[in-house]
Every structure is written in C-alpha cells, then in structure tokens.
Amino acid sequence: MMKGHIAPNMIIGACEWVALPELGINQLRARVDTGAKSCALHAMDIEQFDRDGVPYARFRVPIGRHENMRWQRCEAHVRRMRRVRNTSGEPEERITIRTPLIVGHSRWDVDITLTNRERMRYRMLLGRTAMENHALVYPARTFLQGKPRL
C-alpha cells in the first residue's frame, strides 16, 4: 500500500443507493463513475444568495420516480465555483457544495457539483474523488450496499 493512503472499507457496485442527510435526501440512486472526477447532483431552480456574508445555494432535487416523484427543497453552503466538463465534453461553471454522503453503513463528506441531469438516467453521479479511500468498485454488480442506514 502506498504511504498516506487508507485501505477502502467497502465494495460498491456500478450503481448504489446513497443518502444526503443534510439535504433531506434519505435515498437516491447514484451511478458510480470512476471516469468522472467529481460528483454531480441533478438540481433545478438553482439560486445563489448570501447569508451573513456567506455564499449559499438554494435548489430543488426530484425524489422518487414518475407518479411518486416529489421535490426536495435544499440549501447548502457554496464551497466554490468549479469549471467542469459536462457529459458532452463542454466546459461549464458549476456550484460546488460539500455535504455528508451515506453509502450502506459508511458516512463521509463529499464535494458535489449542482447541474441539470434531467436527460440522464441517474440523478446523481458518484465520481472517483468521492470514493477515494472509502470504496472499491465491482462494476459487474449493482446495489451491493443496499439502502443507506441513517
């Protein structure tokens, strides 16, 4: 093992159930993508504002599918603006937030960019930086960790 690295404590599949508890999201299907550096969350009606001089973002995230879909209203501190290449390879500026992520029994903080992913099958993309030191990916399987344990 290389110096300074921690051995991952779980094996995850190509897709996993995740929770973002500080955003009020108890379960969401995420696509695990080792080709993507960062995480991305499908967010609509993104609005930036200041709270006591601190930058924040207000946005909505769709939860559930089709007839059972509801909109979760979220607010989070804006960590930074980040230039990211989208699925088409085009660069775009995105708001980046930092929030706890739960996969299975494990919880850790991740940076997530906010973007419109309505044309994508999964509302969240779990990128390799978020998995570093936490998980190994077994791409032939899905949902190995089950629903998040809050």
Side-chain angles (χ1 to χ4, degrees):
M1 181 179 296
M2 292 173 36
K3 187 175 182 177
H5 286 272
I6 300 167
N9 64 354
M10 77 171 96
I11 297 175
I12 60 176
C15 303
E16 287 294 341
W17 288 102
V18 302
L20 304 168
E22 286 188 6
L23 300 180
I25 299 171
N26 294 330
Q27 66 182 39
L28 184 69
R29 292 180 333 148
R31 177 75 170 149
V32 175
D33 187 350
T34 58
K37 184 175 182 181
S38 58
C39 295
L41 178 64
H42 177 50
M44 300 295 290
D45 304 324
I46 302 168
E47 174 187 333
Q48 287 187 264
F49 65 98
D50 278 0
R51 180 178 289 148
D52 299 323
V54 178
Y56 273 79
R58 182 178 295 127
F59 52 96
R60 296 184 320 140
V61 176
I63 305 296
R65 296 173 58 106
H66 309 299
E67 64 279 346
N68 296 329
M69 190 177 77
R70 66 177 177 81
W71 290 91
Q72 177 66 39
R73 294 181 189 276
C74 306
E75 281 188 8
H77 164 69
V78 174
R79 185 170 168 90
R80 66 177 178 228
M81 294 298 292
R82 184 155 179 251
R83 196 161 186 80
V84 181
R85 290 201 182 273
N86 65 20
T87 308
S88 305
E90 300 295 319
E92 64 184 34
E93 285 285 318
R94 291 187 190 168
I95 291 172
T96 302
I97 63 171
R98 186 163 187 82
T99 191
L101 168 83
I102 299 174
V103 179
H105 288 288
S106 297
R107 176 185 176 126
W108 67 94
D109 290 345
V110 295
D111 286 346
I112 300 174
T113 64
L114 304 178
T115 188
N116 184 335
R117 292 182 52 83
E118 68 185 347
R119 291 188 359 236
M120 305 298 162
R121 185 170 179 188
Y122 293 89
R123 295 195 179 113
M124 184 167 173
L125 194 69
L126 190 58
R128 68 179 176 268
T129 304
M131 295 178 280
E132 188 176 20
N133 298 329
H134 297 282
L136 293 174
V137 181
Y138 183 21
R141 300 282 307 273
T142 57
F143 304 108
L144 293 174
Q145 294 298 314
K147 302 271 172 94
R149 278 69 129 215
L150 302 174

